[in-house]
Amino acid sequence: MPAGSADVRFGVLGCADIARRRVLPALGRLPGARVTVVASRSRERAAQTARDHGARPVTGYREVLDAEDVDAVYVPLPAALHDRWVEAALLAGKHVLAEKPLTTDLLRTRALYELAESRGLVLRENVMFVHHPQHAEVARLVADGRIGELRSFHAAFAVPRRPEGDIRLRPELGGGALWDVGVYPVRAAVRFLGGDLDVAGAVLARRPGEEVDTSGAVLLRSGQGVAAQLTFGLDDAYRAEYELRGSRGRLTLTHAFTTPAGHVPVLRVEGPDGVQDMALPAADQVERSLAAMVRAVRDRDCAPDAGSLHQARLLAEVVEYLEKKPGDPSFNALSS
C-alpha cells in the first residue's frame, strides 16, 4: 500500500458465490477498502462481477498479482487451489485473505504463515464467524461462572444437500464435509477451549454415489478434561449451533456460524435460577472480518493467527486418526 493511500486496494481471484454474494458487497460498504481488480477464467464472468463493484476485470489470476493498484488479494478459490495461489500472491508482495481452509495440509499452512511473516505481509484465513461479538459475550458469561465449571462443549454445523457437480463434492478440489463445514465446529472448540486440544475420535461417512465425505463427527479432549463433541454434514437440515455445559447450567446459541447481518442473536442461559433468553446486538460478521483484515494491513500485523494454526493442526489430526483405520469407509472417503 503506497504511502498516503486512503484505501487498502483488493484484487479478487475468482468469482465464487461467496465472493459475489457476501464479500464483495461488504468490501463496497467498508470504509478504507475498495476492490480494484476482479479476475476469473471466464472473461464474461469477470466483466459482470467487476462492473457490479466498480472494478477492472481481467482474465486469469496472474494479472491480479502483477497489478500495481492491488495491495491485498482475496482468494475465494476451491480449497485445493489455495496453496498455489496464496503462495504466489505472497511472493508477489501482496497481503492475502483466503477463504477457509487456508490449505488442506498442515505443513503447507504453517509454511505459508512463515512465508508471510518473513516478508512482512499479512495472511489471514477468512473464518468469519469468529468476528461476531456474540461469541465474546458467551465467553464472558462462562468466565463469570454463569454455568459453573465448564464440563463439555457441543457444536453442530450442517447444510442441505448440494447440487450435483458442486465444488464441495469434488475430491480433486478439496471438497468434503470435513473441509467445508467441519472447520466451523472445530474452530469454535478452539475459541472456547483453547489450543490445548487433541483428537480422541472421529468418523466420516458419505452417501452412496459420492466421492467425498458428506457427514462426520469428531471428539476432542482438552488438557483440563473438557470434552468437545462436534458434528457436521453437507446433506442435512440446516443447523448451526453450539452449547456449553457446566456444573451449574448451560449456554446455547443458535445461528452461530453463518449469522445474517440483521439477525438478533438470542443466547439461552439455563441454570439453577431458571431459563433466561438474552437478546444480543445484531452484527455483520462479514464486514467485521474484512475490517480486521484492513486493520492488520494498516498496522502491518503479520503474526500468524494462532486460532487458524490450532484449527489446522486438529483437522490434520482428524485425517491422521482416520488413516489409521484403512478398513473404515471414512478413510476411503478421504483418500479417493
Side-chain angles (χ1 to χ4, degrees):
M1 192 168 69
S5 175
D7 296 329
V8 176
R9 301 165 299 178
F10 281 83
V12 181
L13 300 189
C15 300
D17 182 62
I18 190 171
R20 291 181 291 107
R21 282 194 310 108
R22 305 191 71 188
V23 173
L24 288 175
L27 275 174
R29 299 189 299 268
L30 186 66
R34 60 189 171 96
V35 181
T36 53
V37 185
V38 174
S40 174
R41 292 174 300 170
S42 164
R43 182 184 302 274
E44 294 76 16
R45 193 172 180 83
Q48 177 62 56
T49 305
R51 182 167 57 249
D52 291 343
H53 299 284
R56 182 174 79 256
V58 298
T59 305
Y61 306 140
R62 185 72 235 182
E63 192 171 338
V64 175
L65 308 188
D66 295 334
E68 293 186 1
D69 59 345
V70 169
D71 307 306
V73 172
Y74 169 56
V75 183
L77 298 169
L81 302 180
H82 287 186
D83 186 352
R84 172 189 174 188
W85 287 106
V86 169
E87 181 179 51
L90 292 172
L91 291 174
K94 310 299 186 185
H95 306 285
V96 179
L97 176 67
E99 281 302 326
K100 54 80 195 164
L102 182 56
T103 80
T104 57
D105 181 279
L106 176 60
L107 294 180
R108 287 300 300 154
T109 293
R110 287 173 173 166
L112 290 174
Y113 275 120
E114 290 170 1
L115 175 63
E117 189 173 26
S118 71
R119 296 176 69 87
L121 296 168
V122 175
L123 173 59
R124 292 288 184 270
E125 181 182 35
N126 197 30
V127 181
M128 294 184 283
F129 84 88
V130 300
H131 297 276
H132 199 294
Q134 62 188 343
H135 310 296
E137 179 63 15
V138 171
R140 184 188 69 80
L141 291 172
V142 173
D144 287 348
R146 286 293 295 271
I147 61 172
E149 293 184 13
L150 185 60
R151 297 288 193 245
S152 64
F153 177 78
H154 307 257
F157 187 37
V159 297
R161 180 170 181 161
R162 312 305 304 176
E164 298 302 323
D166 188 277
I167 62 171
R168 298 164 185 83
L169 302 177
R170 295 175 58 182
E172 74 276 12
L173 295 180
L178 177 65
W179 296 115
D180 188 59
V181 289
V183 171
Y184 293 84
V186 169
R187 185 59 169 271
V190 171
R191 172 67 177 83
F192 293 106
L193 304 184
D196 183 21
L197 289 165
D198 293 304
V199 175
V203 62
L204 295 179
R206 55 180 172 180
R207 63 175 185 255
E210 294 296 351
E211 297 182 89
V212 299
D213 51 296
T214 51
S215 63
V218 172
L219 178 64
L220 305 176
R221 60 188 167 203
S222 77
Q224 292 71 44
V226 179
Q229 299 178 14
L230 318 175
T231 60
F232 44 90
L234 289 173
D235 190 16
D236 299 34
Y238 179 81
R239 191 177 182 190
E241 61 192 32
Y242 61 71
E243 181 176 279
L244 296 103
R245 300 177 186 174
S247 58
R248 299 181 60 250
R250 61 182 179 175
L251 295 171
T252 305
L253 183 69
T254 59
H255 299 284
F257 301 126
T258 53
T259 312
H263 174 73
V264 176
V266 177
L267 173 61
R268 172 159 289 193
V269 185
E270 300 178 59
D273 298 328
V275 178
Q276 178 187 7
D277 287 335
M278 301 174 56
L280 305 177
D284 189 333
Q285 65 185 33
V286 183
E287 282 192 20
R288 285 173 173 263
S289 180
L290 295 169
M293 175 67 182
V294 169
R295 285 195 302 273
V297 170
R298 290 190 178 282
D299 296 342
R300 289 284 175 169
D301 180 6
C302 304
D305 183 339
S308 177
L309 286 168
H310 289 314
Q311 168 195 298
R313 176 185 60 81
L314 288 168
L315 291 168
E317 285 188 14
V318 169
V319 174
E320 182 180 5
Y321 179 92
L322 293 168
E323 286 178 340
K324 292 178 180 178
K325 300 177 179 295
D328 193 314
S330 58
F331 169 79
N332 295 332
L334 280 172
S335 57
S336 295

